[in-house]
Amino acid sequence: MKKKLSLPVQIFIALVAGIILGLLLYFVPGGDNFTKDYLKPFGDIFVNLLKFIVVPVVLLSMIDGILSMDDMKKVGSVGWKTVAYFLVTTAIACVIGLAFASIFNGAGLFPDLSGELGSATYEPPAYEGFMSTIVNIFPSNMWTAFSSANMLQVIVIALFFGGSIMAAGEKGRLARDIVTSFNEVINKLMAFVISLAPIGVFTYMSWVVATQGAEILGSLALVLLCAYLGYIVHAVVVYSFSAKVFAGISPARFFAKAFPAMMFAFTSTSSAASLPVSKECADELEADKDIAAFVLPLGSTVNMDGTAIYQCVATVFLAACANIQLTLGQMVLVVVTATLASIGTAGVSGAGMVMLAMVLEAIGLPVDYIGLIVAVDRLFDMGRTCLNVTGDIACSVCVTKWEARKVSTRN
Ligand code: ASP
């Protein structure tokens, strides 16, 4: 019998084939349009399917996870560990981003685009302020939250329903069974959609390489390099360390198992769309199913280490373009605002660039400057989403171990 290639191998082959085809088409006149018109739509279909299942996946798996924990105290314990992991790793990400950006800037490696500042145009969407962001986490209409795929609101709904079904005891039995049954069904659907991932990776990769090759070769290459060095160092240092020290998983095994989700995030540039794939990977790494069902949806909405690195690098670069060297105080402000901005960033394509406005405003730079890097945002976004998703998976295996240790010390 012929052995079927495993999903990570299929995804890897799709990635390499996509790059090769993209490179070939980059040099063929009209090749970029061919990828846009005939290949990208297949990637779009795949992403649409993921988006279509992501709300039921988050809602049902989170309620099911809460019900399986069967104890609000355990939910609280998982919750604070998760949030602590997210905050600490994001703050470290900011420091790494700032360090690399300062080294590049100090060594004069950033391109001088000060001449183009006047022509930079970018219309940021209105930012409603911190308190209204908090208020908006709480849905006023459940269906609107679902139809607009507002993941933070969906998480709040799942928490409330999970807690209430538990509180209803025997009378909530039917609701509990319905959730468990639908959760099984959506898991089957998810497995089918994920099996199509190589098609999504192949078509998106060839499109990006064929259409953005010129941008990669352009003047922003060194800024991109700076951000990618930050992403890689963060992954190698922080995630290897936490996988090994906290979860007892060798870094090689961690990255090998997380690979499908990382590649999928890299090509789709959406943490939310990558969620079904991350769930599979966390499963492979033996993360507790209930814990992963809690950590991953939350992480895909609030845990964005890659976005934080990008925002720090972009801020230092744009400040340098305006001939401003950041003081230590301003750098601390960048760490704080980039941490908050990354939390507020939605897990969708390009959202991190929108939230960059908040960091620029904090240090008094005009948000218009974003116009200088907007053309290559997708290239920044690929790496930062890949890192964001890896961080969520790392957190789920660490929290699994911490919770298991707590139980074994109690026994
Ligand atoms: N695309 C990123 C994500 O989904 C968010 C961002 O734009 O930084 O994780």
Side-chain angles (χ1 to χ4, degrees), residues 269-272 304 307 345-353 381 384-385 388:
T269 62
S270 168
S271 299
M304 310 259 169
T307 303
T345 301
V348 295
S349 200
M353 190 186 66
D381 202 358
R384 63 185 193 242
T385 311
N388 293 345

Side-chain angles (χ1 to χ4, degrees), residues 258-312:
F259 182 76
M262 291 171 74
M263 277 313 99
F264 187 67
F266 187 73
T267 43
S268 71
T269 62
S270 168
S271 299
S274 310
L275 193 52
V277 194
S278 340
K279 280 189 84 202
E280 289 276 315
C281 296
D283 231 27
E284 288 279 315
L285 283 163
E286 288 156 32
D288 182 294
K289 268 200 167 43
D290 307 330
I291 292 177
F294 181 90
V295 172
L296 295 175
L298 192 63
S300 73
T301 331
V302 302
N303 182 40
M304 310 259 169
D305 296 355
T307 303
I309 291 177
Y310 154 79
Q311 285 168 343
C312 291

Side-chain angles (χ1 to χ4, degrees), residues 8 145 232 249 292 348 350:
I232 293 168
I249 299 172
V348 295

